[in-house]
Amino acid sequence: MAVVTTKDKLSPANAPDRPFPMEWTRNIGIAAHIDAGKTTTTERILYYTGVVHKMGEVHEGTAVTDWMEQERERGITITSAAISCNWTTASGPFAGIKHQINIIDTPGHVDFTAEVERSLRVLDGAVAVFCAVAGVQPQSETVWRQATKYNVPRIAFVNKMDRTGADFMGAVNDMREKLGANAHPLFLPIGAEENFKGLIDLVTMKAYIFDESDPMGVKSDEVDIPADMVDDAAKYREALIEAISDYDDEIAEAYLEGRDIDEDALKRGIRSATIAQEFVGVIPGSAFKKKGVQRLLDAVVNYLPSPLDLPPVKGENSEGEVVEIAPDDKNKPTALAFKLWSDPYVGKLVFVRLYSGKLEKGASLYNPRTGQTERVSRLMIMKANSREDVDVAYSGDICAVIGVKGVITGDTLTDKSIDVRLEPPTFPEPVISMSIEPASKADQEKMSIGLGRLSEEDPTFRVTTNQETGQTIIAGMGELHLEIIRDRLFREFKVEAEAGRPQIAYRETITAPAQGEGKFIRQSGGRGQYCHAIIKLEPNEKGKGIEVINEIVGGVIPKEYIKPTIDGIMEAANNGVVAGYPVVDFIARIVDGSFHEVDSSEMAFKMAGIFAFKEAMKAAKPILLEPIMKVEVSTPEEFQGDIIGDLNRRRGRVQNMESKGGAAIVTAFVPLEMMFGYATDVRSLSKGRASYSMEPSHFEEVPAQILSKIVESSTRIPERS
């Protein structure tokens, strides 16, 4: 892939008035496991690029990108924050060219995985941050899978090289083994832990020693490679060249002939292999100690793609045909709405990635989902919680628009003349729910408005009403997720509310094929109601969801009554026959039935679908499924036995035990129902020295001895805490 280096070679896709050509634009995300150092790395980037003049700290609650009160109190990232900066690298094909880098700092906590999902959907590249001590952790794997799903090229930053137990090559090998990444060092660390003092650049074969007299970490001294590391540097450089030669003919030819490889040629090869997602370059550093971040910025510019380096984004037209949208300022605007946010000062912000065309303030955008055209009243470039009004945004930009009302996450916004819907991000189903009630009648309306806005912003947050009890039920990805929602109701919408105990989002499924018949016949003197449908149910593959197939032949059920029958089946699947939970992973075939020319109606056939499904499911050996969490506990070895014993008491199954950085790492599968209050218990068992993380893994059948309790409790009104 050619690399553009001079202004006269810029693509004609650029508008003459855009401040930064697309070739010199990078849209990147910072993503990793919780506490790997994403936000601290972002803060250092903002300082070195001149966006801020004082570095913010997560532990002090002063980080620019952690601007919500809840983030600053807890020291975690909850919502992804967008911010722009500029960087000029001193070496390589892009030397001396100022680049614009649009960064999204994403959350690491599994409860906010939707923020990572939607960010990666619209980014061109990502920096995966790993802890030098812990290596690849559970949420690191989740983030990596999300990036792979959306074909996002990556580089890696192994952070916390100053920490006791830091092992750079251990982290690189972890990436190869656990993530299947073709990971190779671009730099080698000189020293580790308290002796981490410099880097060896394997491309230029130069060494840099950090200037400890500079508290901001800006300065470093170029020196010869330390004598005791010359052999290691030569070995890893050869491994790097060999890895790149598999994807670059110029490098391969020079390598096989034993010729010296030009520095710029090697950088071009690394860039091509990275963009093709065949290679992951790894940089060591310590963001907290301000070491290695500038080299990371160089790698972002040199190796991650611009919008023009990637294939055109694909969507579908109204006929279901594939449509490609190429990045070009001269096209009509096409954008994807990937995030909504209620701003107390300007109202509803819609974050969009502009894939093609120029978007001007005052322009009209068409939403193919709603069929409505709406006007953009204001256009903004976001800088975390501050904003800058602009008159125009260009292809490849990430910006926020105000004025478009009927938009949800995943909507396409385009010119009415363009028939396309871009692929929206996908989100996991909620795994936990609780009841919530306003403390007074005055809070009722405010709570309704607040919950409506919060569910608009967050696709993994759901609000429903229990038809039997009249209670409002909120559902989300975990206890912390719902705690933050409740906190935001109180702070942003001034709602006093009481919450019930958390409830598990169980699912039901079937284990055997069965047939069901649904009849709805009613005569009332005039026109009656008549419908008759027969369906066959069979189990579907795990995770495949619901498929409804019309196998009616000969018109025994007319076409206009097939959709209502399907609607009835889908409605019935919302409440299974075991304990009233949604039914998943089944195939329903509509195979037979009958109708009456006068008395049949759409409503009647919907009832037939409901009755047929309920009858078939009762005979299909239904089972109840519970969410299983993948839990990883890091503990001093002296507490390992107590931790494992406690996990076993929670119906957990230990999968793996290993030692890393002086700690025992225990991985287990545990039912979510048994994990409430675990944060307190794990601290008690380890005298406060163990930590854990968990993420949803899969669903499993509920054991018989537990089933009766769940069925009984599902008929009760949730208790208040």
Side-chain angles (χ1 to χ4, degrees):
M1 188 172 295
V3 176
V4 178
T5 59
T6 56
K7 208 161 189 174
D8 61 317
K9 291 183 185 175
L10 291 178
S11 164
N14 291 293
D17 53 344
R18 69 178 291 152
F20 285 90
M22 269 186 277
E23 290 86 346
W24 303 345
T25 301
R26 303 287 182 269
N27 292 311
I28 66 163
I30 312 285
H33 184 89
I34 190 168
D35 202 33
K38 299 176 300 301
T39 301
T40 303
T41 302
T42 306
E43 290 299 315
R44 302 301 182 254
I45 288 173
L46 298 183
Y47 176 79
Y48 291 131
T49 55
V51 173
V52 297
H53 302 292
K54 181 180 183 298
M55 295 187 193
E57 301 292 356
V58 174
H59 61 277
E60 293 174 0
T62 56
V64 175
T65 53
D66 282 356
W67 53 270
M68 289 172 66
E69 289 177 43
Q70 293 89 341
E71 293 178 311
R72 292 183 167 175
E73 288 169 0
R74 292 167 174 82
I76 62 170
T77 303
I78 292 169
T79 182
S80 49
I83 199 156
S84 296
C85 59
N86 305 114
W87 183 251
T88 305
T89 183
S91 63
F94 293 107
I97 298 173
K98 183 191 271 191
H99 282 65
Q100 175 162 304
I101 304 175
N102 302 315
I103 303 172
I104 295 185
D105 175 30
T106 63
H109 198 287
V110 66
D111 284 20
F112 309 107
T113 188
E115 290 291 319
V116 186
E117 188 86 21
R118 59 173 152 204
S119 299
L120 287 172
R121 168 64 185 84
V122 298
L123 291 171
D124 299 328
V127 175
V129 181
F130 298 90
C131 172
V133 180
V136 174
Q137 296 167 279
Q139 191 63 13
S140 313
E141 295 183 56
T142 302
V143 168
W144 198 266
R145 286 196 302 270
Q146 289 171 310
T148 300
K149 179 166 85 172
Y150 293 118
N151 298 314
V152 179
R154 281 142 273 181
I155 57 176
F157 182 60
V158 175
N159 192 25
K160 304 191 180 183
M161 282 299 301
D162 59 303
R163 285 263 303 271
T164 302
D167 181 357
F168 176 64
M169 285 312 301
V172 174
N173 290 330
D174 238 14
M175 292 171 62
R176 293 171 181 167
E177 291 167 15
K178 293 183 178 177
L179 305 176
N182 185 19
H184 288 267
L186 297 174
F187 294 82
L188 287 183
I190 301 174
E193 302 177 347
E194 71 272 12
N195 297 317
F196 177 49
K197 60 182 182 180
L199 297 173
I200 297 172
D201 186 336
L202 296 177
V203 175
T204 63
M205 289 302 275
K206 294 174 183 174
Y208 300 90
I209 301 296
F210 306 122
D211 186 344
E212 299 292 348
S213 67
D214 176 13
M216 294 293 99
V218 175
K219 298 175 186 172
S220 59
D221 300 316
E222 185 180 317
V223 298
D224 292 332
I225 295 173
D228 61 339
M229 293 193 70
V230 169
D231 290 345
D232 276 352
K235 180 179 83 172
Y236 285 113
R237 186 176 200 269
E238 183 163 354
L240 171 64
I241 292 170
E242 192 175 340
I244 297 303
S245 67
D246 290 340
Y247 310 102
D248 187 293
D249 292 342
E250 182 186 346
I251 302 293
E253 190 176 321
Y255 177 64
L256 290 171
E257 293 175 2
R259 287 189 276 116
D260 286 341
I261 292 170
D262 173 65
E263 176 188 322
D264 282 358
L266 182 52
K267 286 188 173 179
R268 284 195 296 271
I270 293 170
R271 178 177 174 78
S272 296
T274 302
I275 292 171
Q277 298 170 67
E278 302 287 359
F279 176 84
V280 178
V282 190
I283 301 118
S286 169
F288 183 62
K289 292 292 179 69
K290 311 172 187 71
K291 295 177 177 179
V293 178
Q294 291 151 298
R295 302 294 73 78
L296 174 64
L297 278 165
D298 289 341
V300 166
V301 166
N302 284 326
Y303 305 132
L304 288 180
S306 74
L308 287 171
D309 289 318
L310 298 174
V313 66
K314 292 181 180 178
E316 288 188 355
N317 63 17
S318 52
E319 303 295 321
E321 299 164 338
V322 174
V323 177
E324 291 189 345
I325 302 294
D328 192 329
D329 291 335
K330 299 176 184 63
N331 292 340
K332 291 180 177 175
T334 300
L336 181 72
F338 68 95
K339 180 180 168 95
L340 277 62
W341 191 257
S342 296
D343 188 284
Y345 303 106
V346 298
K348 182 176 175 180
L349 284 171
V350 179
F351 288 75
V352 301
R353 163 69 192 265
L354 187 59
Y355 281 102
S356 190
K358 285 199 303 188
L359 179 57
E360 297 179 333
K361 186 172 73 173
S364 292
L365 289 175
Y366 176 70
N367 185 341
R369 182 184 60 83
T370 62
Q372 300 295 313
T373 299
E374 299 183 80
R375 186 173 169 273
V376 176
S377 58
R378 287 174 73 184
L379 193 58
M380 295 174 169
I381 300 296
M382 299 303 294
K383 300 205 170 173
N385 63 331
S386 63
R387 55 196 71 80
E388 178 188 326
D389 277 275
V390 294
D391 293 325
V392 60
Y394 299 88
S395 288
D397 282 354
I398 292 173
C399 57
V401 298
I402 297 172
V404 289
K405 305 290 185 192
V407 176
I408 62 172
T409 299
D411 276 354
T412 299
L413 298 172
T414 185
D415 187 88
K416 197 164 186 179
S417 64
I418 301 174
D419 181 14
V420 68
R421 287 183 73 169
L422 301 175
E423 179 194 352
T426 56
F427 301 104
E429 289 293 313
V431 296
I432 188 171
S433 64
M434 65 168 62
S435 62
I436 187 164
E437 292 185 14
S440 66
K441 283 193 175 179
D443 288 307
Q444 178 71 54
E445 188 177 344
K446 286 191 290 183
M447 187 179 88
S448 179
I449 292 169
L451 290 176
R453 286 190 187 166
L454 292 172
S455 62
E456 234 184 18
E457 289 175 15
D458 186 348
T460 59
F461 173 61
R462 308 280 171 83
V463 183
T464 56
T465 302
N466 186 314
Q467 299 299 327
E468 294 177 9
T469 65
Q471 285 180 310
T472 300
I473 307 295
I474 59 175
M477 298 305 297
E479 285 183 279
L480 180 61
H481 188 192
L482 296 185
E483 182 189 320
I484 297 294
I485 291 288
R486 190 178 166 193
D487 198 44
R488 288 187 63 193
L489 275 177
F490 174 70
R491 296 194 191 191
E492 295 173 32
F493 300 96
K494 313 301 179 197
V495 175
E496 293 279 359
E498 296 180 42
R501 284 186 65 237
Q503 305 290 313
I504 308 298
Y506 293 100
R507 297 285 182 265
E508 297 182 23
T509 193
I510 59 173
T511 59
Q515 182 170 295
E517 187 173 12
K519 280 188 177 180
F520 185 63
I521 302 171
R522 181 174 295 170
Q523 294 297 332
S524 54
R527 179 175 175 176
Q529 295 283 358
Y530 179 91
C531 64
H532 173 215
I534 297 173
I535 70 168
K536 287 182 178 177
L537 288 186
E538 59 190 77
N540 203 352
E541 286 180 47
K542 190 180 287 188
K544 279 287 185 121
I546 299 171
E547 295 179 48
V548 183
I549 301 168
N550 174 24
E551 294 186 351
I552 293 296
V553 292
V556 292
I557 298 178
K559 282 184 180 178
E560 62 266 28
Y561 297 142
I562 296 298
K563 186 180 182 302
T565 308
I566 293 172
D567 291 343
I569 292 169
M570 297 302 289
E571 185 175 309
N574 288 328
N575 301 97
V577 300
V578 179
Y581 291 100
V583 188
V584 297
D585 298 339
F586 67 84
I587 299 171
R589 303 178 190 276
I590 307 171
V591 295
D592 203 356
S594 60
F595 75 105
H596 188 281
E597 293 205 0
V598 176
D599 291 349
S600 287
S601 66
E602 290 186 2
M603 180 55 70
F605 269 95
K606 184 176 181 180
M607 297 303 297
I610 292 172
F611 295 156
F613 179 84
K614 293 289 187 187
E615 183 180 290
M617 190 177 173
K618 286 175 185 174
K621 297 183 179 176
I623 59 171
L624 190 67
L625 302 171
E626 63 181 342
I628 304 296
M629 310 301 286
K630 182 181 180 183
V631 181
E632 184 175 281
V633 187
S634 176
T635 176
E637 292 188 353
E638 63 198 272
F639 303 112
Q640 182 176 344
D642 292 337
I643 296 291
I644 291 172
D646 182 66
L647 290 172
N648 288 334
R649 282 191 292 276
R650 295 172 187 271
R651 297 198 282 126
R653 300 194 312 276
V654 174
Q655 301 296 303
N656 189 40
M657 291 179 283
E658 62 178 314
S659 292
K660 187 184 287 183
I665 311 292
V666 181
T667 306
F669 288 131
V670 190
L672 174 60
E673 185 223 355
M674 305 303 296
M675 290 302 293
F676 293 129
Y678 188 63
T680 304
D681 293 345
V682 79
R683 281 196 289 267
S684 300
L685 287 167
S686 63
K687 299 180 180 176
R689 294 172 63 195
S691 62
Y692 82 100
S693 62
M694 70 175 184
E695 60 176 341
S697 175
H698 60 282
F699 280 84
E700 281 183 12
E701 182 177 356
V702 174
Q705 64 269 27
I706 309 291
L707 180 60
S708 57
K709 295 178 187 174
I710 296 171
V711 172
E712 183 185 341
S713 65
S714 70
T715 61
R716 293 192 203 141
I717 297 173
E719 305 166 34
R720 285 189 183 177
S721 55

